[in-house]
Amino acid sequence: MHKPKVFVAGPVSWNRLVLLDRLPQARPHTTFATGHRVTVGGTSAGKALNLASLGARVTLRTVVGDDEAGRSVLDVLDRAGVEVIAEVVDTATEQHLNLMDLHGGRVSIYLELPRLRQAEHDDRALAALASADAAVIDLANHARPLLGAARDAGVPVWCDVHDYDGVAEFHRDFLDAADRVFLNDDAFKDDAFKDEHSADRDALITFLRSLGKPAVATLGADGALALVDGTVHRVPAVPVEEIVDTNGAGDAFFSGFLVAHLAGADVPAAMAAGARQAALCLGSAGLAPEL
């Protein structure tokens, strides 16, 4: 059986997760955590780990610091079977403090960010990219040059632009280069959005249509919708008995959809596969379902 080969480029991090009954209000006060831990993070790590859990052969090109956090990230990825091509810099590995409530709310605070003058993509990265069935190029300046490299190699480009608001210039290169676009609905949320036929839902669909290419929007507990060849597809979220950790759910959906697509699934089947993978992720303590 053919195992899909996926090249991923983008950020990884080492994060401290702090669990709270509710997110803190913007005023001076003291509160108590219900739990905390350190773990791997970053959207590209999330995708690489989910893709590997689904049986794909994954090469991840990323940047880490020469520090304990970077070594911890690389160890997690190695144990999951992800081939990593890491540029090691003399500044710190990316690190976040994530405040999380019981309902999936999150405030992510950047503690460290690796700095590099210019991304250097060696022959290993370019060879792995050229031989891949799909290239996932995530939002990071050090990944940006690989958009053109993927196009030159004729490899389909998949981009996740997260909570893109339709105007931020940072995302433009990724949107232009992508063959398929994923995002979440955060920039389109409002009370009216809960109504399937609301103006906000229509606004999201209008935005997806304006991209002129296959696009998928995840909607949290409302599932996801896709616009492909002028047709709108919807999938509900798969129920989860107990939500353990919401980190990585969007990357899990993306990965489930991608692997199903590469196996020949149509859009509804790929969306259903994405929803199943997201549910498994939500019921797991990690960025990807526990193997």
Side-chain angles (χ1 to χ4, degrees):
M1 182 177 179
H2 172 70
K3 282 190 171 185
K5 186 173 182 181
V6 183
F7 178 85
V8 182
V12 300
S13 60
W14 191 245
N15 298 344
R16 178 170 293 279
L17 309 184
V18 178
L19 308 180
L20 304 168
D21 288 331
R22 61 185 62 84
L23 294 180
Q25 297 178 5
R27 59 178 176 79
H29 68 288
T30 298
T31 189
F32 291 88
T34 60
H36 61 89
R37 61 190 173 92
V38 292
T39 186
V40 66
T43 188
S44 296
K47 292 184 178 70
L49 290 168
N50 276 282
L51 289 165
S53 78
L54 288 162
R57 293 179 294 160
V58 186
T59 298
L60 169 60
R61 198 278 174 191
T62 192
V63 175
V64 296
D66 183 13
D67 54 15
E68 188 60 36
R71 288 184 284 275
S72 296
V73 171
L74 296 178
D75 178 63
V76 171
L77 293 166
D78 179 68
R79 286 188 282 109
V82 176
E83 177 188 13
V84 180
I85 301 171
E87 182 174 352
V88 180
V89 297
D90 58 5
T91 56
T93 296
E94 183 171 324
Q95 297 179 54
H96 303 174
L97 171 64
N98 287 353
L99 307 180
M100 301 165 55
D101 68 17
L102 301 176
H103 309 290
R106 182 179 69 175
V107 175
S108 186
I109 303 168
Y110 278 77
L111 303 178
E112 299 281 0
L113 195 62
R115 294 182 297 276
L116 64 164
R117 292 187 178 90
Q118 185 174 355
E120 298 178 1
H121 303 294
D122 61 22
D123 291 342
R124 293 178 304 154
L126 295 177
L129 170 59
S131 64
D133 297 307
V136 179
I137 312 298
D138 279 324
L139 296 175
N141 279 327
H142 59 78
R144 194 184 300 270
L146 289 165
L147 294 168
R151 303 294 290 180
D152 291 344
V155 179
V157 176
W158 293 56
C159 289
D160 177 0
V161 294
H162 299 282
D163 57 352
Y164 180 59
D165 60 4
V167 297
E169 190 59 31
F170 183 87
H171 303 68
R172 179 51 52 191
D173 290 344
F174 297 88
L175 284 165
D176 290 345
D179 294 290
R180 289 181 179 267
V181 173
F182 282 67
L183 71 156
N184 62 51
D185 70 329
D186 287 356
F188 295 85
K189 279 183 176 175
D190 137 329
D191 289 341
F193 194 81
K194 296 176 183 177
D195 177 357
E196 181 175 296
H197 302 291
S198 72
D200 282 24
R201 183 60 57 86
D202 292 342
L204 176 59
I205 293 172
T206 298
F207 171 70
L208 297 181
R209 199 181 306 277
S210 74
L211 296 175
K213 59 186 67 179
V216 179
T218 54
L219 314 173
D222 291 332
L225 65 83
L227 183 67
V228 180
D229 295 330
T231 300
V232 176
H233 304 267
R234 290 182 172 85
V235 65
V238 172
V240 179
E241 183 174 340
E242 179 184 4
I243 296 178
V244 176
D245 187 348
T246 58
N247 284 286
D251 296 321
F253 183 97
F254 180 106
S255 301
F257 187 109
L258 173 54
V259 170
H261 172 83
L262 293 177
D266 61 12
V267 174
M271 292 182 72
R276 289 193 298 272
Q277 186 70 8
L280 291 173
C281 181
L282 288 166
S284 169
L287 285 180
E290 296 172 354
L291 301 178

